[in-house]
Amino acid sequence: MNILDIIEKKRDKKELTKEEIQYFVNGYVKEEIADYQMSALVMAIYLNGMTKKEITDLTIEMANSGEILDLSRLGKIIVDKHSTGGVGDKVSICLLPLVASLGVPVAKMSGRGLGFTGGTVDKMQSIPGYKTDIDINSFVENVENIGISMISQTMNLAPADKKLYALRDSISCVESIPLIASSIMSKKIASGAEKIVLDVTVGNGAFMKNIDDAKKLANEMIEIGKLANRETVCVLTNMDEPLGYAVGNNLEVIEAISFLKGIMPEDLKQVVLELGSYMIKLSGICADLEENKRKILENINNGKAFNKFVEMVKNQNGDISYLENIEKFEKAKYIEPIIAQNDGYIHEINAEEVGKVACNLGAGRVKKEDSIDYTVGIVFNKKVADKVKNGDILGYIHANDLERLKIAKEKMKDIIVIENSVKEQTKTIFGICK
Ligand code: URA
């Protein structure tokens, strides 16, 4: 077998066999296949798609490219959560300590920023000292001892996805149903999840731009879950405007801390409640979704969710004084207001463009080896449908570079659309697939 024949076959829209998929996954992990050859193959998959059988074979091979974690010693049902990506998506940081505080064990392997979307690992690393790259034994021990651990993708869990994820990001091959489905499900299978709740985002700030594509992606992942004996529930959520108010690494952590202390933007609250209620249900603790939502709100109000977050950060070496006093987080050099240019109602805050602006300010990577700036981004004061007046402050741009700040300010004029007519509030939850 050789990689050129495999690239040619996919380029010519033919179905790859299980052996061919095994060959390129293993060859890439062992560095026997070069990045440029893998790039050609990934682009061919992106353009020509994959059959259901190919997607399942790819997922299983990627999961088997490293260790498959066995969490049975915890003696509880392990329910994992993942998002297909978004702008301002700090859901994991709010949700996971919350469900852990209700007895759902959380063993979460998160990703870095991808394309114009942010990544939970980058956000968590903006807490000084917090270690995301712990070994697998410490990861399992943490879950055993305090019920929660959030880490980055270690080299031993789905290493094929780790390499492919970074490669796809650097060659504009992210928005592909076969590649996203196999990426997410291989990680979830490798990290020992028995049940999986997925946030499938839809809109301009998501990789799936419309509900039909989001449903296709959801159904693909549900089917892989069935074949791998992992019950999977997908919640379709709106990503046309950024989730919550903050976009950027430490800015989002600050918003998540406030959320856990009870200051909850409505859209973020709805997503957390919906995903959380399913996580608790699948864990076998309580099947009543409304009761689960009530319990989640109770643990925000009584401080148990915030305390669990503090416990997790402390356990992974993070400086918890930042959580107690958010003023300690480093701030960007320039914090400039975004001013409304006219009276009216906000019709649009284009999430994809906001994500790109945040990336350009330094919050994300352009090349896979780029370092990121934890302090930059945008914090809005308003949401779509809000009424505003000419001269109102719509939010603040946080920047460390005057040239980049100038570009961001210019872009914001087109990103936030204000019109005279009243704008209806948009839905946050579009539906459930299971
Ligand atoms: N999240 C992932 O883990 N993989 C993708 O491909 C997209 C979002």
Side-chain angles (χ1 to χ4, degrees):
M1 214 175 284
N2 92 53
I3 187 66
L4 294 184
D5 292 340
I6 297 175
I7 297 171
E8 190 179 307
K9 208 168 159 187
K10 197 75 240 170
R11 183 199 66 194
D12 296 342
K13 305 190 171 119
K14 295 186 182 134
E15 187 179 53
L16 301 178
T17 64
K18 186 176 166 53
E19 289 71 32
E20 286 163 337
I21 289 173
Q22 205 164 35
Y23 177 86
F24 80 71
V25 170
N26 288 335
Y28 191 50
V29 172
K30 288 189 197 142
E31 301 194 346
E32 290 162 4
I33 295 172
D35 270 344
Y36 58 85
Q37 291 173 314
M38 202 60 197
S39 302
L41 179 57
V42 168
M43 183 59 87
I45 294 173
Y46 181 91
L47 294 173
N48 296 331
M50 279 184 138
T51 62
K52 283 189 186 306
K53 180 171 179 314
E54 284 178 307
I55 299 174
T56 310
D57 289 342
L58 178 60
T59 308
I60 302 299
E61 284 316 317
M62 294 207 313
N64 285 335
S65 64
E67 280 178 56
I68 306 265
L69 212 51
D70 177 6
L71 296 174
S72 57
R73 79 180 207 222
L74 298 175
K76 285 187 173 175
I77 298 173
I78 303 297
V79 187
D80 205 352
K81 173 264 169 192
H82 207 85
S83 160
T84 58
V87 177
D89 180 352
K90 68 279 295 171
V91 173
S92 289
I93 307 172
C94 303
L95 169 67
L96 298 179
L98 235 173
V99 293
S101 76
L102 287 162
V104 180
V106 172
K108 167 77 172 148
M109 194 167 74
S110 293
R112 299 198 175 276
L114 192 62
F116 53 85
T117 68
T120 301
V121 168
D122 295 328
K123 293 168 199 178
M124 288 304 293
Q125 282 182 338
S126 71
I127 302 171
Y130 187 79
K131 270 174 78 72
T132 58
D133 58 344
I134 57 178
D135 62 66
I136 292 179
N137 281 340
S138 316
F139 177 53
V140 181
E141 262 169 33
N142 287 348
V143 184
E144 212 164 13
N145 294 338
I146 67 159
I148 182 166
S149 187
M150 289 169 72
I151 62 163
S152 55
Q153 197 163 2
T154 83
M155 229 25 236
N156 293 329
L157 294 179
D161 174 61
K162 185 170 180 171
K163 288 198 76 178
L164 272 170
Y165 191 88
L167 180 74
R168 285 166 54 210
D169 195 24
S170 64
I171 59 169
S172 284
C173 281
V174 173
E175 297 97 332
S176 144
I177 291 177
L179 295 174
I180 296 176
S182 55
S183 164
I184 292 179
M185 294 305 283
S186 64
K187 277 195 287 272
K188 299 298 100 178
I189 293 170
S191 58
E194 293 164 83
K195 315 255 178 182
I196 301 162
V197 177
L198 298 173
D199 182 359
V200 179
T201 51
V202 192
N204 63 52
F207 297 130
M208 297 297 110
K209 305 294 182 199
N210 59 63
I211 298 213
D212 282 350
D213 283 345
K215 280 188 181 158
K216 272 189 213 150
L217 173 61
N219 289 329
E220 208 61 72
M221 294 191 287
I222 290 166
E223 226 165 280
I224 296 170
K226 272 193 195 129
L227 290 169
N229 202 20
R230 264 71 170 187
E231 187 182 354
T232 304
V233 173
C234 294
V235 181
L236 271 51
T237 65
N238 190 341
M239 191 43 80
D240 264 335
E241 68 175 317
L243 194 63
Y245 290 96
V247 179
N249 297 289
N250 77 15
L251 301 171
E252 289 187 45
V253 169
I254 292 168
E255 187 171 37
I257 292 168
S258 303
F259 184 97
L260 289 168
K261 287 183 170 173
I263 302 166
M264 297 178 274
E266 186 53 34
D267 55 350
L268 183 58
K269 177 178 164 186
Q270 284 187 36
V271 176
V272 167
L273 287 177
E274 204 62 39
L275 293 165
S277 62
Y278 275 100
M279 287 187 81
I280 300 168
K281 179 177 175 173
L282 294 190
S283 75
I285 292 176
C286 173
D288 182 338
L289 294 171
E290 289 313 309
E291 172 64 10
N292 293 344
K293 289 180 186 171
R294 200 193 53 71
K295 283 183 183 160
I296 289 172
L297 291 175
E298 189 176 294
N299 270 22
I300 289 192
N301 292 333
N302 63 21
K304 287 186 181 167
F306 177 70
N307 291 344
K308 185 54 78 179
F309 182 59
V310 173
E311 198 181 3
M312 176 186 76
V313 170
K314 189 172 177 191
N315 202 38
Q316 285 179 225
N317 219 36
D319 184 344
I320 57 168
S321 66
Y322 284 73
L323 314 186
E324 308 289 357
N325 175 13
I326 52 174
E327 290 305 317
K328 282 189 78 173
F329 278 99
E330 194 187 338
K331 291 183 184 59
K333 234 191 284 176
Y334 310 105
I335 302 177
E336 285 264 332
I338 307 164
I339 310 285
Q341 309 289 316
N342 48 306
D343 292 354
Y345 295 84
I346 299 185
H347 276 239
E348 191 184 324
I349 303 177
N350 186 305
E352 177 169 7
E353 293 304 320
V354 173
K356 288 179 180 167
V357 166
C359 260
N360 286 337
L361 286 167
R365 295 177 187 78
V366 179
K367 293 194 293 302
K368 61 183 179 183
E369 55 282 357
D370 285 350
S371 59
I372 56 172
D373 186 338
Y374 294 127
T375 63
V376 298
I378 304 111
V379 180
F380 294 97
N381 286 344
K382 306 282 179 192
K383 299 289 289 179
V384 168
D386 282 353
K387 188 176 179 185
V388 296
K389 284 209 169 74
N390 189 353
D392 277 357
I393 296 178
L394 305 178
Y396 291 89
I397 300 170
H398 296 235
N400 278 319
D401 177 291
L402 277 178
E403 193 51 38
R404 294 186 193 202
L405 172 63
K406 196 171 146 207
I407 296 169
K409 275 178 89 170
E410 262 322 291
K411 294 244 178 214
M412 276 303 157
K413 290 182 186 156
D414 294 330
I415 288 174
I416 305 176
V417 178
I418 300 170
E419 288 178 9
N420 282 332
S421 56
V422 173
K423 170 81 178 145
E424 294 249 318
Q425 210 104 37
T426 42
K427 261 180 145 178
T428 301
I429 310 291
F430 289 134
I432 311 290
C433 298
K434 51 188 174 177

